[in-house]
PDB file of all heavy atoms in Angstrom:
ATOM      1  N   GLU A1051      91.691 122.360 102.669  1.00  0.00           N
ATOM      2  CA  GLU A1051      92.254 122.831 103.941  1.00  0.00           C
ATOM      3  C   GLU A1051      93.302 121.851 104.438  1.00  0.00           C
ATOM      4  O   GLU A1051      94.416 122.281 104.854  1.00  0.00           O
ATOM      5  CB  GLU A1051      91.125 122.963 104.966  1.00  0.00           C
ATOM      6  CG  GLU A1051      91.589 123.444 106.341  1.00  0.00           C
ATOM      7  CD  GLU A1051      90.460 123.462 107.333  1.00  0.00           C
ATOM      8  OE1 GLU A1051      89.277 123.542 106.927  1.00  0.00           O
ATOM      9  OE2 GLU A1051      90.742 123.410 108.549  1.00  0.00           O
ATOM     10  N   ALA A1052      93.024 120.555 104.378  1.00  0.00           N
ATOM     11  CA  ALA A1052      93.981 119.554 104.859  1.00  0.00           C
ATOM     12  C   ALA A1052      95.229 119.491 103.972  1.00  0.00           C
ATOM     13  O   ALA A1052      96.355 119.340 104.451  1.00  0.00           O
ATOM     14  CB  ALA A1052      93.305 118.194 104.940  1.00  0.00           C
ATOM     15  N   LEU A1053      95.038 119.572 102.651  1.00  0.00           N
ATOM     16  CA  LEU A1053      96.166 119.539 101.726  1.00  0.00           C
ATOM     17  C   LEU A1053      97.084 120.740 101.915  1.00  0.00           C
ATOM     18  O   LEU A1053      98.310 120.588 101.902  1.00  0.00           O
ATOM     19  CB  LEU A1053      95.669 119.479 100.270  1.00  0.00           C
ATOM     20  CG  LEU A1053      95.020 118.157  99.835  1.00  0.00           C
ATOM     21  CD1 LEU A1053      94.261 118.367  98.506  1.00  0.00           C
ATOM     22  CD2 LEU A1053      96.049 117.059  99.682  1.00  0.00           C
ATOM     23  N   GLU A1054      96.492 121.913 102.073  1.00  0.00           N
ATOM     24  CA  GLU A1054      97.320 123.109 102.287  1.00  0.00           C
ATOM     25  C   GLU A1054      98.041 123.067 103.620  1.00  0.00           C
ATOM     26  O   GLU A1054      99.197 123.439 103.730  1.00  0.00           O
ATOM     27  CB  GLU A1054      96.433 124.335 102.180  1.00  0.00           C
ATOM     28  CG  GLU A1054      95.945 124.605 100.754  1.00  0.00           C
ATOM     29  CD  GLU A1054      95.026 125.790 100.646  1.00  0.00           C
ATOM     30  OE1 GLU A1054      94.493 126.247 101.714  1.00  0.00           O
ATOM     31  OE2 GLU A1054      94.816 126.283  99.519  1.00  0.00           O
ATOM     32  N   ARG A1055      97.363 122.550 104.650  1.00  0.00           N
ATOM     33  CA  ARG A1055      97.974 122.482 105.962  1.00  0.00           C
ATOM     34  C   ARG A1055      99.150 121.490 105.972  1.00  0.00           C
ATOM     35  O   ARG A1055     100.164 121.737 106.624  1.00  0.00           O
ATOM     36  CB  ARG A1055      96.909 122.058 106.986  1.00  0.00           C
ATOM     37  CG  ARG A1055      97.380 122.134 108.442  1.00  0.00           C
ATOM     38  CD  ARG A1055      96.221 121.885 109.399  1.00  0.00           C
ATOM     39  NE  ARG A1055      95.585 120.604 109.202  1.00  0.00           N
ATOM     40  CZ  ARG A1055      94.363 120.426 108.740  1.00  0.00           C
ATOM     41  NH1 ARG A1055      93.612 121.474 108.420  1.00  0.00           N
ATOM     42  NH2 ARG A1055      93.844 119.204 108.602  1.00  0.00           N
ATOM     43  N   SER A1056      99.014 120.391 105.232  1.00  0.00           N
ATOM     44  CA  SER A1056     100.041 119.350 105.227  1.00  0.00           C
ATOM     45  C   SER A1056     101.126 119.586 104.185  1.00  0.00           C
ATOM     46  O   SER A1056     102.162 118.895 104.189  1.00  0.00           O
ATOM     47  CB  SER A1056      99.391 117.988 104.989  1.00  0.00           C
ATOM     48  OG  SER A1056      98.740 117.951 103.726  1.00  0.00           O
ATOM     49  N   GLY A1057     100.924 120.532 103.287  1.00  0.00           N
ATOM     50  CA  GLY A1057     101.910 120.831 102.258  1.00  0.00           C
ATOM     51  C   GLY A1057     101.814 119.962 101.038  1.00  0.00           C
ATOM     52  O   GLY A1057     102.744 119.905 100.233  1.00  0.00           O
ATOM     53  N   TRP A1058     100.670 119.252 100.821  1.00  0.00           N
ATOM     54  CA  TRP A1058     100.531 118.340  99.688  1.00  0.00           C
ATOM     55  C   TRP A1058      99.699 118.927  98.551  1.00  0.00           C
ATOM     56  O   TRP A1058      99.390 118.242  97.593  1.00  0.00           O
ATOM     57  CB  TRP A1058      99.872 117.035 100.114  1.00  0.00           C
ATOM     58  CG  TRP A1058     100.519 116.300 101.260  1.00  0.00           C
ATOM     59  CD1 TRP A1058      99.926 115.843 102.380  1.00  0.00           C
ATOM     60  CD2 TRP A1058     101.887 115.912 101.378  1.00  0.00           C
ATOM     61  NE1 TRP A1058     100.797 115.203 103.200  1.00  0.00           N
ATOM     62  CE2 TRP A1058     102.038 115.232 102.599  1.00  0.00           C
ATOM     63  CE3 TRP A1058     103.017 116.077 100.579  1.00  0.00           C
ATOM     64  CZ2 TRP A1058     103.245 114.722 103.065  1.00  0.00           C
ATOM     65  CZ3 TRP A1058     104.230 115.569 101.014  1.00  0.00           C
ATOM     66  CH2 TRP A1058     104.344 114.905 102.244  1.00  0.00           C
ATOM     67  N   MET A1059      99.331 120.220  98.643  1.00  0.00           N
ATOM     68  CA  MET A1059      98.423 120.791  97.639  1.00  0.00           C
ATOM     69  C   MET A1059      99.050 120.787  96.240  1.00  0.00           C
ATOM     70  O   MET A1059      98.383 120.475  95.262  1.00  0.00           O
ATOM     71  CB  MET A1059      98.046 122.208  98.034  1.00  0.00           C
ATOM     72  CG  MET A1059      96.912 122.815  97.207  1.00  0.00           C
ATOM     73  SD  MET A1059      95.318 122.036  97.486  1.00  0.00           S
ATOM     74  CE  MET A1059      94.877 121.536  95.829  1.00  0.00           C
ATOM     75  N   GLU A1060     100.329 121.134  96.140  1.00  0.00           N
ATOM     76  CA  GLU A1060     100.961 121.174  94.840  1.00  0.00           C
ATOM     77  C   GLU A1060     101.067 119.763  94.244  1.00  0.00           C
ATOM     78  O   GLU A1060     100.923 119.571  93.031  1.00  0.00           O
ATOM     79  CB  GLU A1060     102.351 121.794  94.948  1.00  0.00           C
ATOM     80  CG  GLU A1060     102.971 122.118  93.590  1.00  0.00           C
ATOM     81  CD  GLU A1060     104.311 122.811  93.701  1.00  0.00           C
ATOM     82  OE1 GLU A1060     104.666 123.273  94.811  1.00  0.00           O
ATOM     83  OE2 GLU A1060     105.014 122.905  92.671  1.00  0.00           O
ATOM     84  N   GLU A1061     101.341 118.781  95.111  1.00  0.00           N
ATOM     85  CA  GLU A1061     101.361 117.397  94.622  1.00  0.00           C
ATOM     86  C   GLU A1061     100.001 117.009  94.046  1.00  0.00           C
ATOM     87  O   GLU A1061      99.900 116.413  92.958  1.00  0.00           O
ATOM     88  CB  GLU A1061     101.739 116.448  95.755  1.00  0.00           C
ATOM     89  CG  GLU A1061     101.749 114.987  95.334  1.00  0.00           C
ATOM     90  CD  GLU A1061     101.991 114.036  96.500  1.00  0.00           C
ATOM     91  OE1 GLU A1061     101.817 114.457  97.666  1.00  0.00           O
ATOM     92  OE2 GLU A1061     102.366 112.885  96.233  1.00  0.00           O
ATOM     93  N   ALA A1062      98.933 117.352  94.771  1.00  0.00           N
ATOM     94  CA  ALA A1062      97.593 117.019  94.305  1.00  0.00           C
ATOM     95  C   ALA A1062      97.302 117.732  92.985  1.00  0.00           C
ATOM     96  O   ALA A1062      96.716 117.117  92.082  1.00  0.00           O
ATOM     97  CB  ALA A1062      96.555 117.441  95.367  1.00  0.00           C
ATOM     98  N   ALA A1063      97.717 118.980  92.846  1.00  0.00           N
ATOM     99  CA  ALA A1063      97.438 119.715  91.603  1.00  0.00           C
ATOM    100  C   ALA A1063      98.101 119.019  90.394  1.00  0.00           C
ATOM    101  O   ALA A1063      97.515 119.006  89.302  1.00  0.00           O
ATOM    102  CB  ALA A1063      97.949 121.161  91.737  1.00  0.00           C
ATOM    103  N   GLU A1064      99.277 118.447  90.589  1.00  0.00           N
ATOM    104  CA  GLU A1064      99.921 117.712  89.481  1.00  0.00           C
ATOM    105  C   GLU A1064      99.131 116.490  89.092  1.00  0.00           C
ATOM    106  O   GLU A1064      98.971 116.180  87.912  1.00  0.00           O
ATOM    107  CB  GLU A1064     101.341 117.312  89.899  1.00  0.00           C
ATOM    108  CG  GLU A1064     102.325 118.464  89.882  1.00  0.00           C
ATOM    109  CD  GLU A1064     103.761 118.006  90.135  1.00  0.00           C
ATOM    110  OE1 GLU A1064     103.990 116.816  90.291  1.00  0.00           O
ATOM    111  OE2 GLU A1064     104.648 118.885  90.168  1.00  0.00           O
ATOM    112  N   VAL A1065      98.588 115.781  90.091  1.00  0.00           N
ATOM    113  CA  VAL A1065      97.756 114.608  89.808  1.00  0.00           C
ATOM    114  C   VAL A1065      96.498 115.028  89.054  1.00  0.00           C
ATOM    115  O   VAL A1065      96.105 114.406  88.055  1.00  0.00           O
ATOM    116  CB  VAL A1065      97.380 113.871  91.119  1.00  0.00           C
ATOM    117  CG1 VAL A1065      96.373 112.738  90.839  1.00  0.00           C
ATOM    118  CG2 VAL A1065      98.622 113.290  91.768  1.00  0.00           C
ATOM    119  N   PHE A1066      95.854 116.120  89.498  1.00  0.00           N
ATOM    120  CA  PHE A1066      94.619 116.566  88.882  1.00  0.00           C
ATOM    121  C   PHE A1066      94.870 117.000  87.430  1.00  0.00           C
ATOM    122  O   PHE A1066      94.031 116.718  86.530  1.00  0.00           O
ATOM    123  CB  PHE A1066      94.015 117.721  89.679  1.00  0.00           C
ATOM    124  CG  PHE A1066      93.730 117.406  91.125  1.00  0.00           C
ATOM    125  CD1 PHE A1066      93.673 118.430  92.066  1.00  0.00           C
ATOM    126  CD2 PHE A1066      93.510 116.096  91.550  1.00  0.00           C
ATOM    127  CE1 PHE A1066      93.386 118.146  93.383  1.00  0.00           C
ATOM    128  CE2 PHE A1066      93.252 115.802  92.858  1.00  0.00           C
ATOM    129  CZ  PHE A1066      93.182 116.862  93.803  1.00  0.00           C
ATOM    130  N   GLU A1067      95.977 117.635  87.173  1.00  0.00           N
ATOM    131  CA  GLU A1067      96.295 118.043  85.814  1.00  0.00           C
ATOM    132  C   GLU A1067      96.492 116.836  84.914  1.00  0.00           C
ATOM    133  O   GLU A1067      96.070 116.830  83.738  1.00  0.00           O
ATOM    134  CB  GLU A1067      97.553 118.913  85.825  1.00  0.00           C
ATOM    135  CG  GLU A1067      97.912 119.505  84.471  1.00  0.00           C
ATOM    136  CD  GLU A1067      99.121 120.431  84.531  1.00  0.00           C
ATOM    137  OE1 GLU A1067      99.631 120.701  85.656  1.00  0.00           O
ATOM    138  OE2 GLU A1067      99.538 120.902  83.463  1.00  0.00           O
ATOM    139  N   HIS A1068      97.114 115.797  85.462  1.00  0.00           N
ATOM    140  CA  HIS A1068      97.306 114.564  84.687  1.00  0.00           C
ATOM    141  C   HIS A1068      95.969 113.906  84.387  1.00  0.00           C
ATOM    142  O   HIS A1068      95.760 113.364  83.297  1.00  0.00           O
ATOM    143  CB  HIS A1068      98.219 113.615  85.474  1.00  0.00           C
ATOM    144  CG  HIS A1068      98.524 112.336  84.763  1.00  0.00           C
ATOM    145  ND1 HIS A1068      99.372 112.274  83.675  1.00  0.00           N
ATOM    146  CD2 HIS A1068      98.085 111.061  84.977  1.00  0.00           C
ATOM    147  CE1 HIS A1068      99.448 111.024  83.251  1.00  0.00           C
ATOM    148  NE2 HIS A1068      98.688 110.283  84.016  1.00  0.00           N
ATOM    149  N   LEU A1069      95.033 113.912  85.337  1.00  0.00           N
ATOM    150  CA  LEU A1069      93.723 113.301  85.148  1.00  0.00           C
ATOM    151  C   LEU A1069      92.953 114.003  84.004  1.00  0.00           C
ATOM    152  O   LEU A1069      92.222 113.337  83.271  1.00  0.00           O
ATOM    153  CB  LEU A1069      92.899 113.393  86.426  1.00  0.00           C
ATOM    154  CG  LEU A1069      93.305 112.432  87.554  1.00  0.00           C
ATOM    155  CD1 LEU A1069      92.575 112.786  88.843  1.00  0.00           C
ATOM    156  CD2 LEU A1069      93.040 110.983  87.171  1.00  0.00           C
ATOM    157  N   ALA A1070      93.129 115.292  83.868  1.00  0.00           N
ATOM    158  CA  ALA A1070      92.439 116.019  82.794  1.00  0.00           C
ATOM    159  C   ALA A1070      92.885 115.533  81.419  1.00  0.00           C
ATOM    160  O   ALA A1070      92.164 115.700  80.429  1.00  0.00           O
ATOM    161  CB  ALA A1070      92.696 117.515  82.934  1.00  0.00           C
ATOM    162  N   CYS A1071      94.064 114.921  81.361  1.00  0.00           N
ATOM    163  CA  CYS A1071      94.611 114.421  80.077  1.00  0.00           C
ATOM    164  C   CYS A1071      94.273 112.947  79.821  1.00  0.00           C
ATOM    165  O   CYS A1071      94.822 112.339  78.897  1.00  0.00           O
ATOM    166  CB  CYS A1071      96.113 114.618  80.038  1.00  0.00           C
ATOM    167  SG  CYS A1071      96.626 116.332  80.170  1.00  0.00           S
ATOM    168  N   THR A1072      93.427 112.354  80.662  1.00  0.00           N
ATOM    169  CA  THR A1072      93.016 110.953  80.471  1.00  0.00           C
ATOM    170  C   THR A1072      92.479 110.766  79.067  1.00  0.00           C
ATOM    171  O   THR A1072      91.648 111.557  78.599  1.00  0.00           O
ATOM    172  CB  THR A1072      91.937 110.593  81.492  1.00  0.00           C
ATOM    173  OG1 THR A1072      92.436 110.742  82.838  1.00  0.00           O
ATOM    174  CG2 THR A1072      91.459 109.138  81.300  1.00  0.00           C
ATOM    175  N   PRO A1073      92.921 109.741  78.330  1.00  0.00           N
ATOM    176  CA  PRO A1073      92.430 109.540  76.949  1.00  0.00           C
ATOM    177  C   PRO A1073      90.973 109.037  76.954  1.00  0.00           C
ATOM    178  O   PRO A1073      90.489 108.543  77.968  1.00  0.00           O
ATOM    179  CB  PRO A1073      93.375 108.504  76.384  1.00  0.00           C
ATOM    180  CG  PRO A1073      93.884 107.757  77.570  1.00  0.00           C
ATOM    181  CD  PRO A1073      93.975 108.764  78.691  1.00  0.00           C
ATOM    182  N   PRO A1074      90.286 109.184  75.816  1.00  0.00           N
ATOM    183  CA  PRO A1074      88.906 108.650  75.732  1.00  0.00           C
ATOM    184  C   PRO A1074      88.863 107.166  76.024  1.00  0.00           C
ATOM    185  O   PRO A1074      89.798 106.421  75.688  1.00  0.00           O
ATOM    186  CB  PRO A1074      88.501 108.966  74.315  1.00  0.00           C
ATOM    187  CG  PRO A1074      89.414 110.062  73.866  1.00  0.00           C
ATOM    188  CD  PRO A1074      90.710 109.838  74.583  1.00  0.00           C
ATOM    189  N   ALA A1075      87.774 106.718  76.610  1.00  0.00           N
ATOM    190  CA  ALA A1075      87.591 105.290  76.888  1.00  0.00           C
ATOM    191  C   ALA A1075      87.471 104.509  75.595  1.00  0.00           C
ATOM    192  O   ALA A1075      86.976 105.024  74.589  1.00  0.00           O
ATOM    193  CB  ALA A1075      86.363 105.088  77.759  1.00  0.00           C
ATOM    194  N   SER A1076      87.934 103.267  75.604  1.00  0.00           N
ATOM    195  CA  SER A1076      87.775 102.371  74.460  1.00  0.00           C
ATOM    196  C   SER A1076      86.930 101.182  74.879  1.00  0.00           C
ATOM    197  O   SER A1076      86.782 100.911  76.085  1.00  0.00           O
ATOM    198  CB  SER A1076      89.141 101.902  73.942  1.00  0.00           C
ATOM    199  OG  SER A1076      89.859 101.259  74.983  1.00  0.00           O
ATOM    200  N   ASN A1077      86.403 100.479  73.907  1.00  0.00           N
ATOM    201  CA  ASN A1077      85.546  99.331  74.232  1.00  0.00           C
ATOM    202  C   ASN A1077      86.404  98.186  74.752  1.00  0.00           C
ATOM    203  O   ASN A1077      87.361  97.768  74.113  1.00  0.00           O
ATOM    204  CB  ASN A1077      84.781  98.889  72.985  1.00  0.00           C
ATOM    205  CG  ASN A1077      83.611  97.987  73.313  1.00  0.00           C
ATOM    206  OD1 ASN A1077      83.720  97.031  74.090  1.00  0.00           O
ATOM    207  ND2 ASN A1077      82.454  98.278  72.750  1.00  0.00           N
ATOM    208  N   PRO A1078      86.061  97.658  75.972  1.00  0.00           N
ATOM    209  CA  PRO A1078      86.881  96.591  76.541  1.00  0.00           C
ATOM    210  C   PRO A1078      86.628  95.241  75.892  1.00  0.00           C
ATOM    211  O   PRO A1078      87.361  94.281  76.143  1.00  0.00           O
ATOM    212  CB  PRO A1078      86.446  96.569  78.009  1.00  0.00           C
ATOM    213  CG  PRO A1078      85.037  97.031  77.972  1.00  0.00           C
ATOM    214  CD  PRO A1078      84.972  98.061  76.868  1.00  0.00           C
ATOM    215  N   PHE A1079      85.590  95.143  75.068  1.00  0.00           N
ATOM    216  CA  PHE A1079      85.263  93.871  74.439  1.00  0.00           C
ATOM    217  C   PHE A1079      85.913  93.732  73.071  1.00  0.00           C
ATOM    218  O   PHE A1079      86.583  94.648  72.599  1.00  0.00           O
ATOM    219  CB  PHE A1079      83.731  93.736  74.327  1.00  0.00           C
ATOM    220  CG  PHE A1079      83.011  93.970  75.623  1.00  0.00           C
ATOM    221  CD1 PHE A1079      81.957  94.861  75.706  1.00  0.00           C
ATOM    222  CD2 PHE A1079      83.416  93.290  76.793  1.00  0.00           C
ATOM    223  CE1 PHE A1079      81.297  95.078  76.899  1.00  0.00           C
ATOM    224  CE2 PHE A1079      82.750  93.505  77.986  1.00  0.00           C
ATOM    225  CZ  PHE A1079      81.691  94.402  78.033  1.00  0.00           C
ATOM    226  N   GLY A1080      85.697  92.622  72.418  1.00  0.00           N
ATOM    227  CA  GLY A1080      86.274  92.385  71.125  1.00  0.00           C
ATOM    228  C   GLY A1080      87.380  91.331  71.155  1.00  0.00           C
ATOM    229  O   GLY A1080      87.761  90.864  72.244  1.00  0.00           O
ATOM    230  N   PRO A1081      87.886  90.915  69.995  1.00  0.00           N
ATOM    231  CA  PRO A1081      88.872  89.836  69.940  1.00  0.00           C
ATOM    232  C   PRO A1081      90.147  90.084  70.748  1.00  0.00           C
ATOM    233  O   PRO A1081      90.785  89.149  71.234  1.00  0.00           O
ATOM    234  CB  PRO A1081      89.199  89.735  68.443  1.00  0.00           C
ATOM    235  CG  PRO A1081      87.977  90.258  67.755  1.00  0.00           C
ATOM    236  CD  PRO A1081      87.451  91.349  68.650  1.00  0.00           C
ATOM    237  N   HIS A1082      90.524  91.363  70.919  1.00  0.00           N
ATOM    238  CA  HIS A1082      91.765  91.658  71.645  1.00  0.00           C
ATOM    239  C   HIS A1082      91.708  91.202  73.093  1.00  0.00           C
ATOM    240  O   HIS A1082      92.756  91.048  73.734  1.00  0.00           O
ATOM    241  CB  HIS A1082      92.015  93.159  71.600  1.00  0.00           C
ATOM    242  CG  HIS A1082      90.978  93.973  72.277  1.00  0.00           C
ATOM    243  ND1 HIS A1082      89.806  94.351  71.653  1.00  0.00           N
ATOM    244  CD2 HIS A1082      90.890  94.469  73.541  1.00  0.00           C
ATOM    245  CE1 HIS A1082      89.065  95.045  72.493  1.00  0.00           C
ATOM    246  NE2 HIS A1082      89.680  95.139  73.649  1.00  0.00           N
ATOM    247  N   ALA A1083      90.494  90.992  73.640  1.00  0.00           N
ATOM    248  CA  ALA A1083      90.367  90.623  75.051  1.00  0.00           C
ATOM    249  C   ALA A1083      90.438  89.101  75.266  1.00  0.00           C
ATOM    250  O   ALA A1083      90.375  88.627  76.393  1.00  0.00           O
ATOM    251  CB  ALA A1083      89.037  91.161  75.601  1.00  0.00           C
ATOM    252  N   PHE A1084      90.578  88.321  74.174  1.00  0.00           N
ATOM    253  CA  PHE A1084      90.540  86.862  74.305  1.00  0.00           C
ATOM    254  C   PHE A1084      91.576  86.331  75.274  1.00  0.00           C
ATOM    255  O   PHE A1084      91.279  85.478  76.124  1.00  0.00           O
ATOM    256  CB  PHE A1084      90.755  86.242  72.908  1.00  0.00           C
ATOM    257  CG  PHE A1084      90.887  84.726  72.903  1.00  0.00           C
ATOM    258  CD1 PHE A1084      89.771  83.935  73.086  1.00  0.00           C
ATOM    259  CD2 PHE A1084      92.111  84.111  72.751  1.00  0.00           C
ATOM    260  CE1 PHE A1084      89.881  82.542  73.071  1.00  0.00           C
ATOM    261  CE2 PHE A1084      92.240  82.749  72.756  1.00  0.00           C
ATOM    262  CZ  PHE A1084      91.102  81.951  72.900  1.00  0.00           C
ATOM    263  N   TRP A1085      92.788  86.841  75.190  1.00  0.00           N
ATOM    264  CA  TRP A1085      93.886  86.284  75.999  1.00  0.00           C
ATOM    265  C   TRP A1085      93.825  86.726  77.438  1.00  0.00           C
ATOM    266  O   TRP A1085      94.628  86.283  78.251  1.00  0.00           O
ATOM    267  CB  TRP A1085      95.217  86.646  75.379  1.00  0.00           C
ATOM    268  CG  TRP A1085      95.420  85.943  74.068  1.00  0.00           C
ATOM    269  CD1 TRP A1085      95.231  86.439  72.820  1.00  0.00           C
ATOM    270  CD2 TRP A1085      95.809  84.569  73.886  1.00  0.00           C
ATOM    271  NE1 TRP A1085      95.455  85.491  71.871  1.00  0.00           N
ATOM    272  CE2 TRP A1085      95.820  84.335  72.490  1.00  0.00           C
ATOM    273  CE3 TRP A1085      96.124  83.528  74.756  1.00  0.00           C
ATOM    274  CZ2 TRP A1085      96.145  83.102  71.951  1.00  0.00           C
ATOM    275  CZ3 TRP A1085      96.474  82.302  74.227  1.00  0.00           C
ATOM    276  CH2 TRP A1085      96.471  82.085  72.846  1.00  0.00           C
ATOM    277  N   ARG A1086      92.856  87.565  77.787  1.00  0.00           N
ATOM    278  CA  ARG A1086      92.670  87.934  79.191  1.00  0.00           C
ATOM    279  C   ARG A1086      91.698  87.001  79.901  1.00  0.00           C
ATOM    280  O   ARG A1086      91.491  87.139  81.104  1.00  0.00           O
ATOM    281  CB  ARG A1086      92.153  89.382  79.300  1.00  0.00           C
ATOM    282  CG  ARG A1086      93.150  90.407  78.830  1.00  0.00           C
ATOM    283  CD  ARG A1086      92.868  91.787  79.410  1.00  0.00           C
ATOM    284  NE  ARG A1086      91.565  92.283  78.983  1.00  0.00           N
ATOM    285  CZ  ARG A1086      91.386  93.097  77.925  1.00  0.00           C
ATOM    286  NH1 ARG A1086      92.431  93.444  77.169  1.00  0.00           N
ATOM    287  NH2 ARG A1086      90.200  93.537  77.598  1.00  0.00           N
ATOM    288  N   MET A1087      91.102  86.050  79.176  1.00  0.00           N
ATOM    289  CA  MET A1087      90.185  85.098  79.819  1.00  0.00           C
ATOM    290  C   MET A1087      90.954  84.225  80.798  1.00  0.00           C
ATOM    291  O   MET A1087      92.001  83.668  80.461  1.00  0.00           O
ATOM    292  CB  MET A1087      89.523  84.200  78.768  1.00  0.00           C
ATOM    293  CG  MET A1087      88.464  84.877  77.924  1.00  0.00           C
ATOM    294  SD  MET A1087      87.708  83.706  76.778  1.00  0.00           S
ATOM    295  CE  MET A1087      86.856  82.619  77.907  1.00  0.00           C
ATOM    296  N   ARG A1088      90.405  84.069  81.977  1.00  0.00           N
ATOM    297  CA  ARG A1088      91.021  83.202  82.965  1.00  0.00           C
ATOM    298  C   ARG A1088      90.843  81.744  82.548  1.00  0.00           C
ATOM    299  O   ARG A1088      89.739  81.298  82.311  1.00  0.00           O
ATOM    300  CB  ARG A1088      90.392  83.411  84.337  1.00  0.00           C
ATOM    301  CG  ARG A1088      91.016  82.625  85.461  1.00  0.00           C
ATOM    302  CD  ARG A1088      90.431  82.961  86.807  1.00  0.00           C
ATOM    303  NE  ARG A1088      90.667  84.358  87.157  1.00  0.00           N
ATOM    304  CZ  ARG A1088      90.229  84.923  88.277  1.00  0.00           C
ATOM    305  NH1 ARG A1088      89.502  84.221  89.130  1.00  0.00           N
ATOM    306  NH2 ARG A1088      90.490  86.194  88.539  1.00  0.00           N
ATOM    307  N   GLY A1089      91.926  81.024  82.423  1.00  0.00           N
ATOM    308  CA  GLY A1089      91.874  79.617  82.070  1.00  0.00           C
ATOM    309  C   GLY A1089      92.265  79.337  80.632  1.00  0.00           C
ATOM    310  O   GLY A1089      92.461  78.177  80.257  1.00  0.00           O
TER     311      GLY A1089
END
């Protein structure tokens, strides 16, 4: 109701369509994460 009243519904629909294309999650652990250690 608020999105339609304010005129932002089409903007929201574009965001939602993009979210549906989110890629599968990957494991955050492993050697690739070494350089993200603080310090």
